[in-house]
Amino acid sequence: MMVCEYKPGLEGIPAAQSSISNVNGLDGILEYRGIRIEELAEKSTFLETAYLLIWGELPSTEELAKFEDDVYHHRRIKYRIRDMMKCFPESGHPMDALQASAAALGLFYSQRDLRNPVYIRKAVVQLIATIPTMVAAFQLMRKGNDPVKPRDDLNYAANFLYMLTEKEPDPLAARIFDVCLILHAEHTMNASTFSARVTGSTLTDPYAIVASAVGTLGGPLHGGANEEVIGMLEEIGSVENVRPYVEDLIARKAKIMGFGHRVYKVKDPRAKILQNLAEQLFSKFGQDKYYDIAQEMERVVGEKLGHKGVYANVDFYSGLVYRKLGITTDLFTPIFAIARVAGWLAHWKEQLAENRIFRPTQIYKGLHDQPYTPIEKR
Ligand code: ACO
């Protein structure tokens, strides 16, 4: 068998053939099923985009209405899942709570039928519908409150914000949140999507797939970065502190959170859209010094690291937007998961259509023919 050159992180090695999304990292272009992200952010909704990603085409009016209706009517979570979540330690991270709850959902639907489109659709609806409810339920229960029931008259984004706060959100806030979900719904072969495809390739159930992808998304080099961005902006504290802070990180060769991307060598197109949304939010709901710090940071990092292709990524502005919407910092990554479930499920379907179990190779660098030393002689 031919052994290829080893690439740490599998950089540049195709892991699948896909027609779900495409990134041109040099020109800063992202497309879902061939449609530019800017157009979807302006004209679509998260549920319509999820449909596009998963079934490959924009839905007709009837298809979209049916999908929305199905999702809206499956948003309640089973009381056993709620009771299980009540026992989670309140100090635990909501991503861990989400991972456990998504896996637990599989206990209720163990009759896997991967060749049946009806089973696939049901699983898609169940996951897209219940993941936000689980995130909101854990948030309320860890504060000692009962979860808020979903409201059938509110759309996907508005209902999530309502379940978090028990207040009907401002329409601009709900629309901006929905656009954030569109922007995070899919992004080619990133770590969590790869994880979803590897798990899916074993023909396990979609709940296990989402649970494994949630675990992968949680790390600070992937979805966890937006949480760290806010911590960093708070630590910086003022516009004057930005330059020395950035210079110190660069001198220590530390990574600046919210900057850099394996694929984009220009500003992430999603960061541009988010920056614009942040401006709208701040002008409607009041200015915030963290926005000024962020802008100065972008300027200084561009000056210092632009020559290496390091610019703001999606996580840099998403944290600022969520913070302004009053969302607790450790919910940022679970919100990323709410959106990315759409992409994971699209990749699951695509993987099933031409499945071959993932089984890469390795380059063995260990010893051979070693003697077994009895324990008393070690
Ligand atoms: N801060 C400082 N330097 C950086 C950063 C950064 N955030 N990102 C890249 N660089 C440097 C690298 O150290 C490298 O320097 P060198 O050539 O002197 O060795 C150079 O820029 C080129 O790096 P790349 O190869 O382009 O970056 P890589 O693919 O290794 O890393 C990654 C990408 C992991 C995202 C990195 O940029 C990073 O850790 N960023 C901070 C965390 C972050 O924001 N993650 C979210 C990513 S988006 C997402 O997951 C949704």
Side-chain angles (χ1 to χ4, degrees):
M1 190 176 70
M2 193 182 77
V3 178
C4 306
E5 186 195 347
Y6 165 57
K7 296 274 196 172
L10 299 182
E11 184 170 355
I13 298 181
Q17 299 195 62
S18 181
S19 37
I20 300 169
S21 68
N22 179 47
V23 171
N24 173 338
L26 292 180
D27 295 328
I29 293 171
L30 169 61
E31 298 161 311
Y32 293 170
R33 300 282 186 187
I35 304 176
R36 290 275 189 113
I37 192 66
E38 291 80 2
E39 204 169 349
L40 290 166
E42 191 193 327
K43 299 175 187 162
S44 188
T45 61
F46 172 68
L47 284 186
E48 185 186 56
T49 298
Y51 188 105
L52 167 75
L53 288 166
I54 296 167
W55 283 285
E57 286 176 358
L58 286 169
S60 65
T61 310
E62 296 74 38
E63 285 166 337
L64 181 60
K66 173 90 178 74
F67 183 53
E68 285 176 346
D69 202 51
D70 284 349
V71 168
Y72 292 171
H73 287 94
H74 283 86
R75 290 190 281 202
R76 281 178 179 70
I77 49 172
K78 302 217 174 260
Y79 80 86
R80 286 173 198 262
I81 294 208
R82 214 173 49 223
D83 287 356
M84 178 190 80
M85 293 174 93
K86 267 188 195 151
C87 301
F88 292 166
E90 55 268 33
S91 57
H93 197 287
M95 275 302 263
D96 296 329
L98 177 59
Q99 190 185 26
S101 313
L105 198 58
L107 289 163
F108 296 91
Y109 308 102
S110 50
Q111 301 257 297
R112 188 181 308 143
D113 189 4
L114 300 178
R115 287 168 198 260
N116 183 351
V118 177
Y119 170 86
I120 305 258
R121 193 180 196 283
K122 265 193 179 161
V124 164
V125 165
Q126 238 139 22
L127 280 158
I128 291 187
T130 52
I131 295 278
T133 315
M134 289 172 179
V135 172
F138 181 67
Q139 169 65 5
L140 292 195
M141 287 194 287
R142 69 175 166 164
K143 292 198 287 186
N145 299 323
D146 271 332
V148 172
K149 284 203 182 89
R151 256 180 54 187
D152 289 349
D153 61 320
L154 292 179
N155 71 25
Y156 193 77
N159 175 62
F160 175 70
L161 295 175
Y162 165 75
M163 288 190 299
L164 276 185
T165 59
E166 225 175 334
K167 280 191 258 141
E168 217 174 290
D170 174 271
L172 176 70
R175 172 61 192 158
I176 286 181
F177 186 75
D178 200 54
V179 177
C180 289
L181 296 181
I182 294 175
L183 299 179
H184 287 83
E186 159 65 7
H187 207 246
T188 72
M189 199 53 66
N190 54 83
S192 58
T193 299
F194 183 47
S195 171
R197 283 193 87 123
V198 172
T199 311
S201 79
T202 69
L203 301 185
T204 187
D205 65 75
Y207 310 96
I209 293 167
V210 168
S212 92
V214 168
T216 312
L217 184 67
L221 294 188
H222 192 10
N226 56 9
E227 240 184 72
E228 307 223 355
V229 168
I230 292 298
M232 180 181 72
L233 296 178
E234 284 173 351
E235 202 179 317
I236 294 173
S238 72
V239 172
E240 302 73 62
N241 290 344
V242 168
R243 184 170 288 275
Y245 187 93
V246 169
E247 284 174 350
D248 175 58
L249 285 180
I250 292 173
R252 289 192 285 112
K253 295 199 180 309
K255 288 279 195 298
I256 306 165
M257 289 295 137
F259 288 87
H261 200 277
R262 176 63 54 85
V263 186
Y264 293 115
K265 299 304 159 204
V266 292
K267 186 166 169 176
D268 186 332
R270 300 165 300 173
K272 287 189 196 164
I273 299 170
L274 276 165
Q275 185 174 11
N276 183 276
L277 297 180
E279 272 165 24
Q280 289 180 41
L281 262 187
F282 287 106
S283 66
K284 177 152 186 187
F285 299 108
Q287 291 304 314
D288 184 325
K289 74 171 176 179
Y290 295 107
Y291 185 67
D292 300 334
I293 297 174
Q295 293 218 302
E296 174 66 0
M297 196 144 182
E298 220 193 321
R299 211 177 56 73
V300 176
V301 174
E303 186 189 299
K304 303 271 174 196
L305 295 175
H307 66 284
K308 289 188 180 181
V310 176
Y311 292 97
N313 62 43
V314 66
D315 283 328
F316 189 59
Y317 282 102
S318 62
L320 274 176
V321 168
Y322 297 150
R323 193 176 184 281
K324 196 67 188 168
L325 291 173
I327 296 172
T328 319
T329 312
D330 65 1
L331 291 185
F332 295 176
T333 321
I335 288 170
F336 192 158
I338 290 174
R340 191 52 63 87
V341 165
W344 295 332
L345 293 173
H347 280 271
W348 167 54
K349 259 184 97 244
E350 192 173 67
Q351 182 67 35
L352 287 181
E354 281 185 34
N355 191 49
R356 185 161 167 80
I357 189 168
F358 277 91
R359 185 28 175 122
T361 186
Q362 61 168 12
I363 296 170
Y364 179 64
K365 294 178 78 183
L367 304 169
H368 292 281
D369 297 330
Q370 292 297 294
Y372 177 83
T373 314
I375 196 157
E376 62 281 5
K377 295 203 174 149
R378 285 177 218 158

